Amino acid sequence: MDSTKLCILGCGGFIGSHLLDRVLADPSYTVIGIDKSAEKIKRHLSNSRLDFTLGDIYTMEAIATCVEQSDIVLSLAALCNPSLYNTIPLRVLENNYSQPSAIVKVCAEQKKRLIHFSTCEVYGRTAGSYVSGPHGLAVEPFNEDRSPYVLGPISAQRWTYACAKQLLERLIYAYGFERGLEYTIVRPFNFIGPRMDFIPGIDGEGVPRVIACFMEALLFNTPLKLVDGGFNRRAFTAISDAIDAIMGIIKNPEKSKNQIFNIGNPANETTIADLARRMKRIYQKLSPKYAGQTIDIVNVSSEEFYGKGYEDSDRRIPDISKARELLQWEPKTSLDDALSLTIESYVREYGARAIEENPL
Ligand code: NAD
Ligand code: UGA
């Protein structure tokens, strides 16, 4: 049987590493993978079904050949950490629009199927949040084909990422419309799991996404910080459920042809303040020796935490009826289960170092 050849751009990141786990466990796939980093996928590098190149996708002359040699291109590479959007906006715009637009063009020219990873951030904020303040009005779940996009003013550079991702979606759609590109756009809603981001000072620098921020605080016994009170809400989605959906897209080319899918778990929606309390409780349960330890949760302003130009999404609940109907996909993992798996993996990865630096 011929294998399906996947070209995975950004295969060394959080989602990419979990996708590699799944596809390399199935002999019907071979992978051409590219990433600037291989730290999270070391265990796969000797796999004969993975042809990995370490480097920058956009300076590689061979990129057109990689696309040519594959059946499906999955484009995951991005700068997707909110602390960057208002601090290095030019690179965020380049990495999320200008550079990946070249991949869209190559896929259209070579008539290759493209599965592109966009973001739930394209929806921005709820329309009501600008009218009556956050959480002022009842909200409808965001729908792929009906909801409007509500982004803040240009000076609120937080929205550089959302805007770049939205423009790339429009480019992909236009290539589908005018040049027959076969594509699927995935809009992830806060996937969480092992190997998400980094712990500052250990395997990365800067401010990671919220799960890694809270894990750093728990492991090194510093306060968990709630940005602007932690009132904003997210629908956290277990990475295993997310990978199920992505496999559904890979395996159903006709049903997912030229579709945009929200992939998220509406049942796991909660506030960031509640997330902090849950993570503290689960961490103390999993690490009983920390049970009696004081773990503070404090408030911090967004300007102090992220700098000028940060604004937040107040609430984003995915309408997943399309993924349910076309992919027969249903997210199964509760927030507490997803957090337990994530916290356990961070304790395994960084626990010894934390105990060394922070003995009780
Ligand atoms: P990640 O940062 O963990 O992974 C991105 C990977 O892309 C990294 O390994 C990085 O080294 C690589 N990369 C970036 N630019 C590159 C370049 N020029 N050349 C080579 N490699 C490059 O991010 P992730 O969480 O795995 O997200 C993957 C995709 O999904 C992104 O497009 C992101 O915008 C989107 N997304 C993710 C989430 C989520 O919940 N994790 C949510 C919304 C959208
Ligand atoms: C994320 C990122 O933009 C992308 O990775 C992705 O496209 C998308 O959303 C997604 O994951 O679906 P966001 O959810 O705002 O954006 O990023 P997080 O860092 O996960 O922050 C979530 C919330 O926690 C925000 O309200 C943030 O202000 C807050 N936060 C973050 C804290 O209260 N404390 C912290 O220490 C860190």
Side-chain angles (χ1 to χ4, degrees):
M1 187 187 70
D2 281 350
S3 64
T4 302
K5 295 193 185 79
L6 306 176
C7 175
I8 308 184
L9 307 174
C11 68
F14 165 56
I15 300 177
S17 69
H18 286 273
L19 186 58
L20 275 190
D21 290 350
R22 191 72 71 88
V23 295
L24 291 175
D26 181 341
S28 53
Y29 295 100
T30 56
V31 177
I32 296 173
I34 307 171
D35 204 297
K36 282 195 267 199
S37 166
E39 282 306 305
K40 297 180 182 181
I41 56 168
K42 278 187 199 148
R43 67 201 166 286
H44 294 308
L45 295 180
S46 57
N47 190 315
S48 60
R49 285 188 292 110
L50 171 65
D51 175 3
F52 178 74
T53 304
L54 184 70
D56 187 328
I57 295 158
Y58 306 113
T59 57
M60 280 178 56
E61 281 177 19
I63 191 68
T65 315
C66 294
V67 171
E68 193 183 353
Q69 287 170 349
S70 57
D71 301 308
I72 307 173
V73 176
L74 292 106
S75 109
L76 289 144
L79 286 180
C80 53
N81 186 324
S83 66
L84 307 176
Y85 308 163
N86 59 321
T87 52
I88 51 163
L90 290 177
R91 278 192 55 208
V92 169
L93 291 165
E94 192 183 9
N95 198 254
N96 288 296
Y97 177 70
S98 319
Q99 292 179 325
S101 63
I103 304 296
V104 178
K105 188 164 176 251
V106 170
C107 288
E109 283 168 358
Q110 297 195 14
K111 305 217 171 307
K112 295 292 176 180
R113 183 177 172 214
L114 171 66
I115 300 177
H116 177 73
F117 284 72
S118 183
T119 174
C120 61
E121 286 218 9
V122 295
Y123 295 111
R125 304 168 53 138
T126 60
S129 68
Y130 275 117
V131 183
S132 59
H135 322 303
L137 298 179
V139 289
E140 289 292 314
F142 289 134
N143 178 278
E144 298 95 332
D145 304 311
R146 289 195 300 274
S147 294
Y149 305 128
V150 182
L151 305 184
I154 300 301
S155 56
Q157 295 198 89
R158 155 59 186 260
W159 303 112
T160 48
Y161 169 78
C163 190
K165 288 277 199 185
Q166 190 197 123
L167 188 56
L168 197 72
E169 287 199 22
R170 292 191 187 276
L171 185 83
I172 292 170
Y173 190 93
Y175 264 106
F177 178 74
E178 284 196 38
R179 309 266 170 90
L181 173 69
E182 186 186 338
Y183 67 85
T184 306
I185 291 171
V186 180
R187 290 185 183 157
F189 281 68
N190 290 77
F191 297 172
I192 58 172
R195 303 196 289 277
M196 186 161 192
D197 295 343
F198 55 87
I199 296 293
I202 297 188
D203 52 0
E205 294 303 332
V207 180
R209 287 172 282 191
V210 67
I211 296 290
C213 286
F214 286 175
M215 280 316 304
E216 182 197 14
L218 291 169
L219 287 163
F220 293 94
N221 194 21
T222 57
L224 282 74
K225 293 179 180 163
L226 300 180
V227 172
D228 293 338
F231 296 112
N232 293 317
R233 307 175 77 92
R234 297 289 186 272
F236 294 99
T237 308
I239 187 70
S240 52
D241 287 338
I243 300 293
D244 288 345
I246 297 165
M247 295 311 294
I249 289 170
I250 292 173
K251 288 175 182 170
N252 286 288
E254 282 311 315
K255 287 186 176 160
S256 56
K257 185 173 172 182
N258 298 7
Q259 293 290 352
I260 301 175
F261 288 105
N262 286 340
I263 301 300
N265 190 339
N268 283 352
E269 198 218 6
T270 193
T271 63
I272 302 303
D274 177 63
L275 176 79
R277 287 190 294 270
R278 282 176 194 251
M279 288 183 67
K280 173 177 164 174
R281 175 176 47 76
I282 295 169
Y283 180 73
Q284 289 186 316
K285 202 166 121 204
L286 289 173
S287 313
K289 65 176 178 255
Y290 294 110
Q293 188 181 11
T294 311
I295 295 173
D296 293 325
I297 299 178
V298 299
N299 288 325
V300 58
S301 77
S302 51
E303 188 159 332
E304 197 184 320
F305 193 79
Y306 288 112
K308 264 200 180 326
Y310 179 79
E311 266 193 12
D312 210 346
S313 298
D314 54 320
R315 193 165 190 190
R316 33 193 210 214
I317 310 173
D319 173 345
I320 55 168
S321 46
K322 198 202 283 190
R324 279 187 173 125
E325 187 193 325
L326 295 182
L327 307 173
Q328 267 80 57
W329 175 73
E330 188 66 42
K332 302 180 199 81
T333 314
S334 70
L335 182 54
D336 276 1
D337 285 352
L339 288 173
S340 298
L341 283 169
T342 308
I343 293 171
E344 273 172 21
S345 77
Y346 275 79
V347 170
R348 269 198 310 276
E349 182 76 20
Y350 305 100
R353 175 84 178 256
I355 289 165
E356 208 176 281
E357 292 185 18
N358 177 34
L360 274 184

